[in-house]
Amino acid sequence: MDRPRLPASARPTGLTRRSLLGFGAAAASGLLLPGCSRGRADEPAPSEKAVFSTGNAGGVYNVFGAALSKLVTEVTGVELTAVVSDGSVANLIAVASRKADLGFCTSDTALAAYEGTGAFASGRLKFSALARVYDNYVHVVVPMASKATSLSDLFPNSDAPTRRTVVGVGPKGSGTEIVANLILDRARADAIMANAKLEPAKRLDPDKIQVTRRNLSLQEMADAIQPKERETRGSIDAFFWSGGVPTDPIARLQKTIGFRLLDIGGVAQAIALKEFGGFLVAPIPPSQYGLAQSVPTLAIPNYLIARTDLSDSWAWWTVNTLFRRQNDLVKGVPQPSDTPATPGASPTPAGNPEAGALDPRSAIATMPVPLHPAAERWYRQNHI
């Protein structure tokens, strides 16, 4: 097992992102990838505890971050504590303000924070990156009983002029809220354009073509979409979530009210073409949630970020564990035999299939956010 040893010799210098990417793309087939061998590690252990700001309880950020924290703690012998957060924006602020040492965020929020735009227009944040990890998928969840089949069905129109849809858009200031507003604003613009093409007598007041947006956590949205007692509908009609797949609180809805995911491929394509931030158009496979078919949506890369002054030991061991213990991240982290089981808890802390998407050759693609020097060194030492 890769455990801390004596300090290594002088660290290599002069490595640039361009040389990393160029070398990785041109020669990947001839490289020894990490994970093929445990090898010897001379990196010293961290000297003090650290905090990992993850995401909403039950979301992939939280599940993945908790599993990675447990493994890094096991390997280094120094505690890395995973804490719940409101996601990307909160994590960026926590890391930049040194209230957390590590965190997850989406590529679009990382770009905005790095350049001081959008939600970060008041000022740029300083942080570094350890890796690009997996991609988030935008979920637009509606109950199985809902008549909505597209984003346009959430807005009032000439056939349903009194429609009043309440949509959960994630926690205030979260990455989910940012992307939900981006999608809803574009869908509303499309609905207003379609309304303008109708005969004057059938047109609605454009100001009334809107939905009510509510800031709720992931679990609050999963609860709010379910009817209470004798009611026939929940307090929200749909909700957005940007996260890995499967996301447990969403998956569990199939055992209660059942749900569908709206196809947002058209809006996703428009955003991917016009907005810069690493956006992609990709399907959510039906197997992830027991769906009838795959659902096109917007995918957003995720970054593992760190304080710019994070110790080299923490940065190096986190990246090393991320790739060399990848199988454990997928399967879950076995509980030591001498650790008493917590009543009601699983003996194997949850893993997540998203960890299977980790690839060191794409992990270095965190532009424009610079890699932490120790992370950069790890990739070079492993011939990436």
Side-chain angles (χ1 to χ4, degrees):
M1 181 178 293
D2 288 325
R3 293 190 182 277
R5 298 180 184 272
L6 296 175
S9 56
R11 294 168 177 139
T13 59
L15 188 64
T16 66
R17 190 73 62 85
R18 179 171 294 181
S19 64
L20 274 169
L21 290 173
F23 182 66
S29 60
L31 300 179
L32 174 64
L33 294 180
C36 299
S37 171
R38 295 282 183 180
R40 174 186 171 87
D42 294 320
E43 190 73 21
S47 60
E48 57 186 12
K49 298 178 181 180
V51 174
F52 193 150
S53 188
T54 60
N56 278 245
V60 177
Y61 274 0
N62 179 243
V63 174
F64 195 160
L68 178 57
S69 296
K70 188 175 289 291
L71 283 172
V72 174
T73 297
E74 172 196 316
V75 169
T76 63
V78 184
E79 187 176 5
L80 176 60
T81 302
V83 298
V84 172
S85 78
D86 281 337
S88 292
V89 175
N91 293 344
L92 281 157
I93 293 172
V95 167
S97 63
R98 303 178 66 183
K99 293 179 180 178
D101 301 281
L102 303 168
F104 283 129
C105 70
T106 56
S107 60
D108 61 319
T109 54
L111 175 65
Y114 189 76
E115 296 187 341
T117 61
F120 304 91
S122 60
R124 296 176 55 186
L125 299 185
K126 293 183 179 180
F127 57 99
S128 60
L130 299 185
R132 171 180 170 175
V133 283
Y134 63 93
D135 290 346
N136 267 9
Y137 293 83
V138 176
H139 301 58
V140 186
V141 181
V142 295
M144 188 64 73
S146 172
K147 296 181 180 180
T149 59
S150 66
L151 285 172
S152 63
D153 292 332
L154 301 180
F155 293 87
N157 57 33
S158 59
D159 295 325
T162 61
R163 179 181 290 155
R164 297 291 180 267
T165 305
V166 182
V167 181
V169 294
K172 184 69 175 177
S174 66
T176 291
E177 183 190 36
I178 290 173
V179 74
N181 285 337
L182 183 65
I183 292 169
L184 286 172
D185 289 347
R186 187 169 292 274
R188 179 172 182 265
D190 291 342
I192 290 174
M193 186 177 299
N195 179 67
K197 295 178 181 179
L198 298 175
E199 298 176 6
K202 294 184 178 181
R203 291 177 194 165
L204 301 182
D205 179 349
D207 290 339
K208 295 182 179 180
I209 301 178
Q210 55 188 328
V211 298
T212 299
R213 308 178 194 195
R214 290 186 60 190
N215 290 113
L216 299 168
S217 70
L218 171 59
Q219 189 59 58
E220 287 172 337
M221 292 189 294
D223 291 340
I225 205 167
Q226 302 181 64
K228 306 300 181 188
E229 298 179 350
R230 298 181 181 179
E231 297 177 359
T232 59
R233 55 188 291 184
S235 58
I236 62 174
D237 302 289
F239 70 83
F240 280 74
W241 178 249
S242 174
V245 292
T247 294
D248 288 344
I250 296 176
R252 288 196 292 269
L253 289 174
Q254 290 294 34
K255 297 179 180 180
T256 55
I257 60 171
F259 73 90
R260 292 179 288 107
L261 297 177
L262 296 187
D263 179 340
I264 62 168
V267 172
Q269 184 68 38
I271 291 173
L273 289 173
K274 295 182 180 180
E275 303 283 346
F276 182 73
F279 296 115
L280 309 165
V281 179
I284 295 178
S287 60
Q288 294 296 337
Y289 293 110
L291 304 172
Q293 58 188 16
S294 62
V295 181
T297 190
L298 192 66
I300 313 165
N302 285 300
Y303 294 165
L304 173 56
I305 58 169
R307 288 168 35 184
T308 54
D309 61 348
L310 181 70
S311 73
D312 284 5
S313 295
W314 268 126
W316 194 94
W317 279 107
T318 300
V319 175
N320 190 67
T321 305
L322 185 68
F323 292 109
R324 291 194 183 277
R325 299 294 295 274
Q326 185 173 356
N327 288 339
D328 289 328
L329 288 170
V330 174
K331 299 175 183 177
V333 189
Q335 189 80 4
S337 58
D338 60 349
T339 302
T342 301
S346 169
T348 302
N352 197 276
E354 290 293 355
L358 294 170
D359 184 342
R361 290 168 293 188
S362 62
I364 58 177
T366 62
M367 289 77 69
V369 183
L371 284 169
H372 187 288
E376 192 172 277
R377 173 163 55 84
W378 186 93
Y379 292 116
R380 178 164 181 166
Q381 288 171 340
N382 287 275
H383 310 292
I384 304 303

